[in-house]
Amino acid sequence: MGRLWTLATHLHSLAGPVTMLLYPLYASVMAIESTTKVDDEQWLAYWILYSFLTLMEMLLQPILKWIPIWYDVKLVFVAWLVLPQFRGAAFIYEKFVREQIWKHGRAGRAENRASTSHHHGKGDSKSVQFVGLKKVTLFIYLITPFEDSLPFFSLFVQNK
């Protein structure tokens, strides 16, 4: 029984990194190389949500350490985000994140700028545009449920 328990413990320890990082990394590379845009959206949404989850987990660590099943709940949630049968990351992005961005009117202005500039198709060469700290902070400010308790964001966001 001791060896079986040790094996189960090691498998449980590997499940998180494999589910949360290794498989999404592999799938993201495959999505970049594919010709369809649907998988790109799924994996971009996953990395946005996983980054947000990690940030919230860091901020709420004093509370989460008192919840003994937190790691298991997170593992099941991330598995739902990752598995292609569910497309959970794309679902959450579509239903909640995009809605918050549109509600605050930020995406409309960005889309107008994008529609007037030259747009590359999936098969064309892609360029990387770096996003500044102010835009990242604004994005976090818009989607976080704790916006009133984080006065740090008011340093970067002027027209809320």
PDB file of all heavy atoms in Angstrom, residues 118-146:
ATOM      1  N   HIS A 118      -3.121  47.949 -41.677  1.00  0.00           N
ATOM      2  CA  HIS A 118      -2.993  46.756 -42.518  1.00  0.00           C
ATOM      3  C   HIS A 118      -3.108  45.514 -41.653  1.00  0.00           C
ATOM      4  O   HIS A 118      -2.457  45.402 -40.628  1.00  0.00           O
ATOM      5  CB  HIS A 118      -1.638  46.780 -43.235  1.00  0.00           C
ATOM      6  CG  HIS A 118      -1.434  45.602 -44.131  1.00  0.00           C
ATOM      7  ND1 HIS A 118      -2.206  45.384 -45.249  1.00  0.00           N
ATOM      8  CD2 HIS A 118      -0.570  44.574 -44.061  1.00  0.00           C
ATOM      9  CE1 HIS A 118      -1.805  44.280 -45.836  1.00  0.00           C
ATOM     10  NE2 HIS A 118      -0.809  43.758 -45.135  1.00  0.00           N
ATOM     11  N   HIS A 119      -3.944  44.561 -42.067  1.00  0.00           N
ATOM     12  CA  HIS A 119      -4.183  43.350 -41.296  1.00  0.00           C
ATOM     13  C   HIS A 119      -3.614  42.152 -42.043  1.00  0.00           C
ATOM     14  O   HIS A 119      -3.904  41.964 -43.215  1.00  0.00           O
ATOM     15  CB  HIS A 119      -5.685  43.157 -41.077  1.00  0.00           C
ATOM     16  CG  HIS A 119      -6.015  41.898 -40.345  1.00  0.00           C
ATOM     17  ND1 HIS A 119      -5.711  41.726 -39.022  1.00  0.00           N
ATOM     18  CD2 HIS A 119      -6.604  40.754 -40.757  1.00  0.00           C
ATOM     19  CE1 HIS A 119      -6.116  40.532 -38.648  1.00  0.00           C
ATOM     20  NE2 HIS A 119      -6.658  39.913 -39.686  1.00  0.00           N
ATOM     21  N   HIS A 120      -2.822  41.342 -41.352  1.00  0.00           N
ATOM     22  CA  HIS A 120      -2.256  40.138 -41.950  1.00  0.00           C
ATOM     23  C   HIS A 120      -3.169  38.969 -41.683  1.00  0.00           C
ATOM     24  O   HIS A 120      -3.687  38.816 -40.592  1.00  0.00           O
ATOM     25  CB  HIS A 120      -0.876  39.827 -41.340  1.00  0.00           C
ATOM     26  CG  HIS A 120       0.151  40.854 -41.695  1.00  0.00           C
ATOM     27  ND1 HIS A 120       0.690  40.949 -42.946  1.00  0.00           N
ATOM     28  CD2 HIS A 120       0.715  41.839 -40.963  1.00  0.00           C
ATOM     29  CE1 HIS A 120       1.563  41.941 -42.963  1.00  0.00           C
ATOM     30  NE2 HIS A 120       1.590  42.499 -41.774  1.00  0.00           N
ATOM     31  N   GLY A 121      -3.347  38.111 -42.670  1.00  0.00           N
ATOM     32  CA  GLY A 121      -4.128  36.895 -42.496  1.00  0.00           C
ATOM     33  C   GLY A 121      -3.328  35.858 -41.731  1.00  0.00           C
ATOM     34  O   GLY A 121      -2.164  36.048 -41.413  1.00  0.00           O
ATOM     35  N   LYS A 122      -3.959  34.711 -41.460  1.00  0.00           N
ATOM     36  CA  LYS A 122      -3.320  33.639 -40.689  1.00  0.00           C
ATOM     37  C   LYS A 122      -2.072  33.112 -41.381  1.00  0.00           C
ATOM     38  O   LYS A 122      -1.086  32.798 -40.748  1.00  0.00           O
ATOM     39  CB  LYS A 122      -4.328  32.514 -40.451  1.00  0.00           C
ATOM     40  CG  LYS A 122      -3.789  31.335 -39.706  1.00  0.00           C
ATOM     41  CD  LYS A 122      -3.614  31.639 -38.262  1.00  0.00           C
ATOM     42  CE  LYS A 122      -3.237  30.342 -37.544  1.00  0.00           C
ATOM     43  NZ  LYS A 122      -2.694  30.532 -36.296  1.00  0.00           N
ATOM     44  N   GLY A 123      -2.080  33.041 -42.712  1.00  0.00           N
ATOM     45  CA  GLY A 123      -0.952  32.482 -43.426  1.00  0.00           C
ATOM     46  C   GLY A 123       0.166  33.493 -43.665  1.00  0.00           C
ATOM     47  O   GLY A 123       1.261  33.126 -44.047  1.00  0.00           O
ATOM     48  N   ASP A 124      -0.117  34.784 -43.500  1.00  0.00           N
ATOM     49  CA  ASP A 124       0.889  35.812 -43.735  1.00  0.00           C
ATOM     50  C   ASP A 124       1.858  35.888 -42.568  1.00  0.00           C
ATOM     51  O   ASP A 124       1.663  35.292 -41.528  1.00  0.00           O
ATOM     52  CB  ASP A 124       0.208  37.182 -43.915  1.00  0.00           C
ATOM     53  CG  ASP A 124      -0.708  37.208 -45.122  1.00  0.00           C
ATOM     54  OD1 ASP A 124      -0.517  36.371 -46.036  1.00  0.00           O
ATOM     55  OD2 ASP A 124      -1.619  38.049 -45.151  1.00  0.00           O
ATOM     56  N   SER A 125       2.891  36.676 -42.761  1.00  0.00           N
ATOM     57  CA  SER A 125       3.847  36.837 -41.668  1.00  0.00           C
ATOM     58  C   SER A 125       3.195  37.629 -40.541  1.00  0.00           C
ATOM     59  O   SER A 125       2.379  38.509 -40.769  1.00  0.00           O
ATOM     60  CB  SER A 125       5.099  37.552 -42.171  1.00  0.00           C
ATOM     61  OG  SER A 125       4.767  38.865 -42.582  1.00  0.00           O
ATOM     62  N   LYS A 126       3.577  37.304 -39.344  1.00  0.00           N
ATOM     63  CA  LYS A 126       3.004  37.961 -38.176  1.00  0.00           C
ATOM     64  C   LYS A 126       4.077  38.820 -37.525  1.00  0.00           C
ATOM     65  O   LYS A 126       5.243  38.473 -37.521  1.00  0.00           O
ATOM     66  CB  LYS A 126       2.513  36.930 -37.152  1.00  0.00           C
ATOM     67  CG  LYS A 126       1.394  36.066 -37.653  1.00  0.00           C
ATOM     68  CD  LYS A 126       0.999  35.075 -36.595  1.00  0.00           C
ATOM     69  CE  LYS A 126      -0.091  34.160 -37.077  1.00  0.00           C
ATOM     70  NZ  LYS A 126      -0.467  33.178 -36.082  1.00  0.00           N
ATOM     71  N   SER A 127       3.671  39.924 -36.966  1.00  0.00           N
ATOM     72  CA  SER A 127       4.616  40.750 -36.227  1.00  0.00           C
ATOM     73  C   SER A 127       4.153  40.830 -34.786  1.00  0.00           C
ATOM     74  O   SER A 127       2.970  40.733 -34.487  1.00  0.00           O
ATOM     75  CB  SER A 127       4.696  42.155 -36.833  1.00  0.00           C
ATOM     76  OG  SER A 127       3.451  42.797 -36.728  1.00  0.00           O
ATOM     77  N   VAL A 128       5.086  41.017 -33.911  1.00  0.00           N
ATOM     78  CA  VAL A 128       4.783  41.088 -32.490  1.00  0.00           C
ATOM     79  C   VAL A 128       4.777  42.544 -32.084  1.00  0.00           C
ATOM     80  O   VAL A 128       5.703  43.288 -32.389  1.00  0.00           O
ATOM     81  CB  VAL A 128       5.847  40.323 -31.662  1.00  0.00           C
ATOM     82  CG1 VAL A 128       5.592  40.488 -30.182  1.00  0.00           C
ATOM     83  CG2 VAL A 128       5.883  38.874 -32.065  1.00  0.00           C
ATOM     84  N   GLN A 129       3.696  42.950 -31.411  1.00  0.00           N
ATOM     85  CA  GLN A 129       3.626  44.299 -30.891  1.00  0.00           C
ATOM     86  C   GLN A 129       3.714  44.215 -29.375  1.00  0.00           C
ATOM     87  O   GLN A 129       2.951  43.485 -28.754  1.00  0.00           O
ATOM     88  CB  GLN A 129       2.324  44.968 -31.296  1.00  0.00           C
ATOM     89  CG  GLN A 129       2.204  45.179 -32.783  1.00  0.00           C
ATOM     90  CD  GLN A 129       0.895  45.849 -33.135  1.00  0.00           C
ATOM     91  OE1 GLN A 129       0.046  46.075 -32.290  1.00  0.00           O
ATOM     92  NE2 GLN A 129       0.737  46.176 -34.402  1.00  0.00           N
ATOM     93  N   PHE A 130       4.644  44.946 -28.812  1.00  0.00           N
ATOM     94  CA  PHE A 130       4.810  44.910 -27.376  1.00  0.00           C
ATOM     95  C   PHE A 130       3.823  45.859 -26.714  1.00  0.00           C
ATOM     96  O   PHE A 130       3.527  46.929 -27.232  1.00  0.00           O
ATOM     97  CB  PHE A 130       6.241  45.282 -26.990  1.00  0.00           C
ATOM     98  CG  PHE A 130       7.221  44.243 -27.398  1.00  0.00           C
ATOM     99  CD1 PHE A 130       7.963  44.375 -28.550  1.00  0.00           C
ATOM    100  CD2 PHE A 130       7.379  43.095 -26.637  1.00  0.00           C
ATOM    101  CE1 PHE A 130       8.848  43.394 -28.943  1.00  0.00           C
ATOM    102  CE2 PHE A 130       8.259  42.114 -27.013  1.00  0.00           C
ATOM    103  CZ  PHE A 130       9.004  42.260 -28.173  1.00  0.00           C
ATOM    104  N   VAL A 131       3.293  45.446 -25.588  1.00  0.00           N
ATOM    105  CA  VAL A 131       2.304  46.220 -24.862  1.00  0.00           C
ATOM    106  C   VAL A 131       2.987  46.820 -23.648  1.00  0.00           C
ATOM    107  O   VAL A 131       3.708  46.138 -22.923  1.00  0.00           O
ATOM    108  CB  VAL A 131       1.130  45.312 -24.417  1.00  0.00           C
ATOM    109  CG1 VAL A 131       0.117  46.104 -23.629  1.00  0.00           C
ATOM    110  CG2 VAL A 131       0.488  44.682 -25.626  1.00  0.00           C
ATOM    111  N   GLY A 132       2.756  48.079 -23.419  1.00  0.00           N
ATOM    112  CA  GLY A 132       3.374  48.762 -22.301  1.00  0.00           C
ATOM    113  C   GLY A 132       2.712  48.429 -20.973  1.00  0.00           C
ATOM    114  O   GLY A 132       1.615  47.879 -20.917  1.00  0.00           O
ATOM    115  N   LEU A 133       3.387  48.783 -19.895  1.00  0.00           N
ATOM    116  CA  LEU A 133       2.904  48.533 -18.539  1.00  0.00           C
ATOM    117  C   LEU A 133       1.559  49.192 -18.301  1.00  0.00           C
ATOM    118  O   LEU A 133       0.681  48.623 -17.655  1.00  0.00           O
ATOM    119  CB  LEU A 133       3.932  49.028 -17.511  1.00  0.00           C
ATOM    120  CG  LEU A 133       3.536  48.922 -16.041  1.00  0.00           C
ATOM    121  CD1 LEU A 133       3.325  47.460 -15.657  1.00  0.00           C
ATOM    122  CD2 LEU A 133       4.572  49.559 -15.157  1.00  0.00           C
ATOM    123  N   LYS A 134       1.354  50.376 -18.850  1.00  0.00           N
ATOM    124  CA  LYS A 134       0.097  51.082 -18.630  1.00  0.00           C
ATOM    125  C   LYS A 134      -1.085  50.313 -19.214  1.00  0.00           C
ATOM    126  O   LYS A 134      -2.128  50.193 -18.588  1.00  0.00           O
ATOM    127  CB  LYS A 134       0.183  52.474 -19.241  1.00  0.00           C
ATOM    128  CG  LYS A 134      -1.019  53.332 -18.936  1.00  0.00           C
ATOM    129  CD  LYS A 134      -0.804  54.742 -19.409  1.00  0.00           C
ATOM    130  CE  LYS A 134      -1.992  55.597 -19.064  1.00  0.00           C
ATOM    131  NZ  LYS A 134      -1.803  56.982 -19.460  1.00  0.00           N
ATOM    132  N   LYS A 135      -0.934  49.726 -20.410  1.00  0.00           N
ATOM    133  CA  LYS A 135      -2.017  48.976 -21.026  1.00  0.00           C
ATOM    134  C   LYS A 135      -2.291  47.678 -20.280  1.00  0.00           C
ATOM    135  O   LYS A 135      -3.436  47.288 -20.105  1.00  0.00           O
ATOM    136  CB  LYS A 135      -1.706  48.680 -22.488  1.00  0.00           C
ATOM    137  CG  LYS A 135      -1.790  49.894 -23.378  1.00  0.00           C
ATOM    138  CD  LYS A 135      -1.545  49.533 -24.809  1.00  0.00           C
ATOM    139  CE  LYS A 135      -1.615  50.763 -25.684  1.00  0.00           C
ATOM    140  NZ  LYS A 135      -1.368  50.439 -27.085  1.00  0.00           N
ATOM    141  N   VAL A 136      -1.237  47.006 -19.837  1.00  0.00           N
ATOM    142  CA  VAL A 136      -1.415  45.772 -19.071  1.00  0.00           C
ATOM    143  C   VAL A 136      -2.117  46.071 -17.763  1.00  0.00           C
ATOM    144  O   VAL A 136      -3.047  45.377 -17.356  1.00  0.00           O
ATOM    145  CB  VAL A 136      -0.053  45.081 -18.818  1.00  0.00           C
ATOM    146  CG1 VAL A 136      -0.197  43.935 -17.839  1.00  0.00           C
ATOM    147  CG2 VAL A 136       0.545  44.602 -20.124  1.00  0.00           C
ATOM    148  N   THR A 137      -1.705  47.125 -17.082  1.00  0.00           N
ATOM    149  CA  THR A 137      -2.318  47.512 -15.824  1.00  0.00           C
ATOM    150  C   THR A 137      -3.781  47.885 -16.029  1.00  0.00           C
ATOM    151  O   THR A 137      -4.643  47.519 -15.232  1.00  0.00           O
ATOM    152  CB  THR A 137      -1.549  48.687 -15.193  1.00  0.00           C
ATOM    153  OG1 THR A 137      -0.175  48.333 -15.114  1.00  0.00           O
ATOM    154  CG2 THR A 137      -2.066  49.001 -13.809  1.00  0.00           C
ATOM    155  N   LEU A 138      -4.079  48.584 -17.106  1.00  0.00           N
ATOM    156  CA  LEU A 138      -5.459  48.947 -17.411  1.00  0.00           C
ATOM    157  C   LEU A 138      -6.301  47.697 -17.636  1.00  0.00           C
ATOM    158  O   LEU A 138      -7.418  47.590 -17.128  1.00  0.00           O
ATOM    159  CB  LEU A 138      -5.516  49.837 -18.655  1.00  0.00           C
ATOM    160  CG  LEU A 138      -6.921  50.195 -19.148  1.00  0.00           C
ATOM    161  CD1 LEU A 138      -7.648  51.019 -18.101  1.00  0.00           C
ATOM    162  CD2 LEU A 138      -6.840  50.934 -20.457  1.00  0.00           C
ATOM    163  N   PHE A 139      -5.758  46.725 -18.364  1.00  0.00           N
ATOM    164  CA  PHE A 139      -6.484  45.483 -18.616  1.00  0.00           C
ATOM    165  C   PHE A 139      -6.790  44.765 -17.302  1.00  0.00           C
ATOM    166  O   PHE A 139      -7.915  44.344 -17.064  1.00  0.00           O
ATOM    167  CB  PHE A 139      -5.672  44.578 -19.544  1.00  0.00           C
ATOM    168  CG  PHE A 139      -6.306  43.239 -19.752  1.00  0.00           C
ATOM    169  CD1 PHE A 139      -7.419  43.108 -20.556  1.00  0.00           C
ATOM    170  CD2 PHE A 139      -5.808  42.117 -19.122  1.00  0.00           C
ATOM    171  CE1 PHE A 139      -8.016  41.878 -20.744  1.00  0.00           C
ATOM    172  CE2 PHE A 139      -6.395  40.887 -19.296  1.00  0.00           C
ATOM    173  CZ  PHE A 139      -7.507  40.767 -20.111  1.00  0.00           C
ATOM    174  N   ILE A 140      -5.809  44.646 -16.420  1.00  0.00           N
ATOM    175  CA  ILE A 140      -6.015  43.984 -15.128  1.00  0.00           C
ATOM    176  C   ILE A 140      -7.046  44.760 -14.312  1.00  0.00           C
ATOM    177  O   ILE A 140      -7.929  44.187 -13.682  1.00  0.00           O
ATOM    178  CB  ILE A 140      -4.690  43.839 -14.365  1.00  0.00           C
ATOM    179  CG1 ILE A 140      -3.776  42.877 -15.109  1.00  0.00           C
ATOM    180  CG2 ILE A 140      -4.924  43.352 -12.939  1.00  0.00           C
ATOM    181  CD1 ILE A 140      -2.363  42.844 -14.578  1.00  0.00           C
ATOM    182  N   TYR A 141      -6.956  46.084 -14.352  1.00  0.00           N
ATOM    183  CA  TYR A 141      -7.899  46.924 -13.628  1.00  0.00           C
ATOM    184  C   TYR A 141      -9.327  46.698 -14.113  1.00  0.00           C
ATOM    185  O   TYR A 141     -10.265  46.651 -13.325  1.00  0.00           O
ATOM    186  CB  TYR A 141      -7.492  48.385 -13.807  1.00  0.00           C
ATOM    187  CG  TYR A 141      -8.425  49.373 -13.158  1.00  0.00           C
ATOM    188  CD1 TYR A 141      -8.379  49.581 -11.786  1.00  0.00           C
ATOM    189  CD2 TYR A 141      -9.340  50.104 -13.901  1.00  0.00           C
ATOM    190  CE1 TYR A 141      -9.220  50.490 -11.179  1.00  0.00           C
ATOM    191  CE2 TYR A 141     -10.184  51.011 -13.307  1.00  0.00           C
ATOM    192  CZ  TYR A 141     -10.115  51.194 -11.941  1.00  0.00           C
ATOM    193  OH  TYR A 141     -10.945  52.092 -11.343  1.00  0.00           O
ATOM    194  N   LEU A 142      -9.494  46.514 -15.425  1.00  0.00           N
ATOM    195  CA  LEU A 142     -10.832  46.345 -15.991  1.00  0.00           C
ATOM    196  C   LEU A 142     -11.457  45.001 -15.652  1.00  0.00           C
ATOM    197  O   LEU A 142     -12.667  44.898 -15.517  1.00  0.00           O
ATOM    198  CB  LEU A 142     -10.788  46.518 -17.505  1.00  0.00           C
ATOM    199  CG  LEU A 142     -10.536  47.932 -18.001  1.00  0.00           C
ATOM    200  CD1 LEU A 142     -10.398  47.933 -19.509  1.00  0.00           C
ATOM    201  CD2 LEU A 142     -11.633  48.872 -17.558  1.00  0.00           C
ATOM    202  N   ILE A 143     -10.645  43.950 -15.542  1.00  0.00           N
ATOM    203  CA  ILE A 143     -11.232  42.633 -15.340  1.00  0.00           C
ATOM    204  C   ILE A 143     -11.181  42.150 -13.904  1.00  0.00           C
ATOM    205  O   ILE A 143     -11.805  41.160 -13.575  1.00  0.00           O
ATOM    206  CB  ILE A 143     -10.570  41.578 -16.256  1.00  0.00           C
ATOM    207  CG1 ILE A 143      -9.113  41.377 -15.900  1.00  0.00           C
ATOM    208  CG2 ILE A 143     -10.751  41.915 -17.696  1.00  0.00           C
ATOM    209  CD1 ILE A 143      -8.465  40.217 -16.623  1.00  0.00           C
ATOM    210  N   THR A 144     -10.465  42.835 -13.035  1.00  0.00           N
ATOM    211  CA  THR A 144     -10.372  42.349 -11.663  1.00  0.00           C
ATOM    212  C   THR A 144     -11.636  42.680 -10.876  1.00  0.00           C
ATOM    213  O   THR A 144     -12.198  43.765 -11.029  1.00  0.00           O
ATOM    214  CB  THR A 144      -9.127  42.907 -10.955  1.00  0.00           C
ATOM    215  OG1 THR A 144      -9.017  42.302  -9.678  1.00  0.00           O
ATOM    216  CG2 THR A 144      -9.193  44.402 -10.762  1.00  0.00           C
ATOM    217  N   PRO A 145     -12.096  41.739 -10.060  1.00  0.00           N
ATOM    218  CA  PRO A 145     -13.276  42.021  -9.245  1.00  0.00           C
ATOM    219  C   PRO A 145     -12.945  42.884  -8.033  1.00  0.00           C
ATOM    220  O   PRO A 145     -13.824  43.313  -7.333  1.00  0.00           O
ATOM    221  CB  PRO A 145     -13.735  40.620  -8.800  1.00  0.00           C
ATOM    222  CG  PRO A 145     -12.510  39.792  -8.846  1.00  0.00           C
ATOM    223  CD  PRO A 145     -11.674  40.355  -9.963  1.00  0.00           C
ATOM    224  N   PHE A 146     -11.669  43.147  -7.802  1.00  0.00           N
ATOM    225  CA  PHE A 146     -11.246  43.877  -6.609  1.00  0.00           C
ATOM    226  C   PHE A 146     -10.778  45.283  -6.954  1.00  0.00           C
ATOM    227  O   PHE A 146      -9.906  45.824  -6.317  1.00  0.00           O
ATOM    228  CB  PHE A 146     -10.099  43.132  -5.913  1.00  0.00           C
ATOM    229  CG  PHE A 146     -10.410  41.703  -5.627  1.00  0.00           C
ATOM    230  CD1 PHE A 146      -9.802  40.693  -6.346  1.00  0.00           C
ATOM    231  CD2 PHE A 146     -11.330  41.365  -4.659  1.00  0.00           C
ATOM    232  CE1 PHE A 146     -10.101  39.372  -6.095  1.00  0.00           C
ATOM    233  CE2 PHE A 146     -11.629  40.045  -4.405  1.00  0.00           C
ATOM    234  CZ  PHE A 146     -11.015  39.052  -5.122  1.00  0.00           C
TER     235      PHE A 146
END
